[in-house]
């Protein structure tokens, strides 16, 4: 997920075709409403940010077996809830 985030972030808008639902928009809608480079950077940042708990969890798990795994999932669920709240606020 971390590597996909980096690829999206550095793609200069070329990775936009991998975003769900974007390819179903007409060319006119895409030009009118969406800035592809900015969208790829935003999604890349989100993917990188959402993968950080697992990177930290892996490091913790090296020293305390099983603890890092639990911490990573708790942190990820918290970040996921924050992401859902943010998207809900943007649509309202």
């Amino acid at each position: 997920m971390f590597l996909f985030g980096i690829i999206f972030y550095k793609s200069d808008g070329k990775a936009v075709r991998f975003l769900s639902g974007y390819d179903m928009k007409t060319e006119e809608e895409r030009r009118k409403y969406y800035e592809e480079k900015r969208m790829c950077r935003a999604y890349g940042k989100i993917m990188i940010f959402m993968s950080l708990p697992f990177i930290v969890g892996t490091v913790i798990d090296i020293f305390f077996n099983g603890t890092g795994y639990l911490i990573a999932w708790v942190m990820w669920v918290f970040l996921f809830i924050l992401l859902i709240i943010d998207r809900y606020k943007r649509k309202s």
Side-chain angles (χ1 to χ4, degrees), residues 51-69 71-72:
S51 69
L52 288 178
F54 294 103
I55 294 170
V56 171
T58 301
V59 172
I60 292 171
D61 216 29
I62 290 170
F63 300 106
F64 304 103
N65 196 11
T67 306
Y69 173 76
I71 291 171

Side-chain angles (χ1 to χ4, degrees), residues 7-87:
I7 291 169
F8 262 80
Y9 188 81
K10 294 188 175 205
S11 73
D12 271 348
K14 294 176 186 167
V16 77
R17 66 176 184 246
F18 297 113
L19 296 177
S20 176
Y22 186 77
D23 58 339
M24 299 183 126
K25 305 276 186 205
T26 64
E27 281 292 324
E28 188 175 301
E29 284 180 311
R30 291 181 198 172
R31 275 186 258 127
K32 192 174 184 180
Y33 296 110
Y34 299 103
E35 196 172 320
E36 293 175 351
K37 187 174 181 178
R38 199 174 93 194
M39 279 176 45
C40 282
R41 285 181 165 249
Y43 276 95
K45 285 179 186 177
I46 290 170
M47 282 189 255
I48 291 169
F49 191 65
M50 294 295 281
S51 69
L52 288 178
F54 294 103
I55 294 170
V56 171
T58 301
V59 172
I60 292 171
D61 216 29
I62 290 170
F63 300 106
F64 304 103
N65 196 11
T67 306
Y69 173 76
L70 179 64
I71 291 171
W73 276 107
V74 169
M75 287 172 48
W76 188 86
V77 167
F78 178 72
L79 291 174
F80 185 73
I81 290 169
L82 289 178
L83 179 68
I84 297 297
I85 290 170
D86 182 51
R87 285 190 176 192

